[in-house]
Amino acid sequence: MRADQASVLLELTPMQLDQLDTVMRIERAAYPISWSRKVLEDCVASTNDCWVLRYDRQIVGHSILSNVLDETHLLNLCVEPSLSRNGFGRWMLRALIQKAMTRHSTIFFLEVRESNHRAIALYHSEGFNESGMRKNYYPAENGREHAILMSLDLSFDVYT
Ligand SMILES: CC(C)(COP(=O)(O)OP(=O)(O)OC[C@H]1O[C@@H](n2cnc3c(N)ncnc32)[C@H](O)[C@@H]1OP(=O)(O)O)[C@@H](O)C(=O)NCCC(=O)NCCS
């Protein structure tokens, strides 16, 4: 089922500690080097906005935002791999941008591995620009990998 046909059954709900088994299963399946359970626990306990994406009440992805003043930083965006390329990532990203606009953020930004072509394609197609590079930002299987910094200008919202 594609997200655009299933959107009535899709929702973002706040991540709960008792959902971390499922979140960790998806996280480990989706990333070559995933976050640890401790990092996710700390996120849920922090002021970050931690979300699970539910399709028909089943968890199919997750995302984490950090909000500081008028900036929103996307720390994690992840979809269950067996459901990939069905529009769920795009649906979740758009919902997160909407949340940032609702809180009057003027910029929405993120880091992405330079080898992560599918995520980069998603961000470009949603209007993000490449605004910098963070050298050796990520651990990699053989050393370190650069991050591309991508950002979406939301400041037009200030004038509307
Ligand atoms: C990146 C991710 C969230 C995308 O979620 P998804 O539900 O698979 O993506 P969607 O179906 O919404 O696709 C959105 C766009 O992403 C790109 N994309 C997604 N999967 C792709 C693939 N296998 N090959 C090429 N492009 C792909 C395309 O541009 C696609 O648009 P299109 O289908 O109209 O061409 C998902 O692949 C994922 O969780 N990856 C692992 C975690 C990760 O890398 N997160 C990003 C961290 S910065």
Side-chain angles (χ1 to χ4, degrees), residues 3 10 39 42 76 82-83 91 93 114 117 127 131 146 149 159:
L10 278 170
V39 167
D42 288 348
N76 199 329
S82 65
L83 297 170
W91 188 96
L93 179 62
E114 61 179 355
H117 302 295
S131 46
H146 302 331
L149 182 62
Y159 305 105

Side-chain angles (χ1 to χ4, degrees), residues 7-146:
S7 58
V8 70
L9 297 173
L10 278 170
E11 58 181 350
L12 277 182
T13 59
M15 189 184 291
Q16 308 294 329
L17 284 176
D18 65 3
Q19 295 171 323
L20 285 187
D21 286 349
T22 306
V23 171
M24 278 307 299
R25 182 184 55 71
I26 296 171
E27 175 80 15
R28 289 198 181 105
Y31 284 106
I33 299 177
S34 61
W35 285 14
S36 68
R37 188 184 182 101
K38 175 78 169 65
V39 167
L40 279 164
E41 283 172 355
D42 288 348
C43 272
V44 172
S46 75
T47 56
N48 291 339
D49 286 343
C50 305
W51 303 100
V52 288
L53 175 66
R54 300 199 307 173
Y55 169 64
D56 199 13
R57 297 178 179 272
Q58 302 296 312
I59 296 173
V60 296
H62 54 273
S63 51
I64 296 177
L65 294 178
S66 166
N67 295 300
V68 178
L69 300 177
D70 63 342
E71 298 187 351
T72 295
H73 186 182
L74 178 63
L75 302 177
N76 199 329
L77 180 81
C78 189
V79 171
E80 156 67 47
S82 65
L83 297 170
S84 69
R85 208 75 193 262
N86 281 297
F88 291 109
R90 190 186 299 284
W91 188 96
M92 182 158 54
L93 179 62
R94 287 183 178 176
L96 296 170
I97 293 168
Q98 192 58 51
K99 288 182 185 299
M101 292 172 73
T102 299
R103 68 176 296 283
H104 303 294
S105 287
T106 58
I107 189 160
F108 188 107
F109 70 99
L110 58 95
E111 291 88 12
V112 56
R113 285 178 186 269
E114 61 179 355
S115 63
N116 194 347
H117 302 295
R118 67 175 69 173
I120 292 168
L122 167 61
Y123 300 134
H124 273 306
S125 69
E126 290 297 318
F128 284 74
N129 291 310
E130 296 187 18
S131 46
M133 175 175 281
R134 301 199 198 280
K135 290 200 171 174
N136 300 317
Y137 187 78
Y138 290 111
E141 277 166 17
N142 297 310
R144 309 285 302 179
E145 179 173 2
H146 302 331

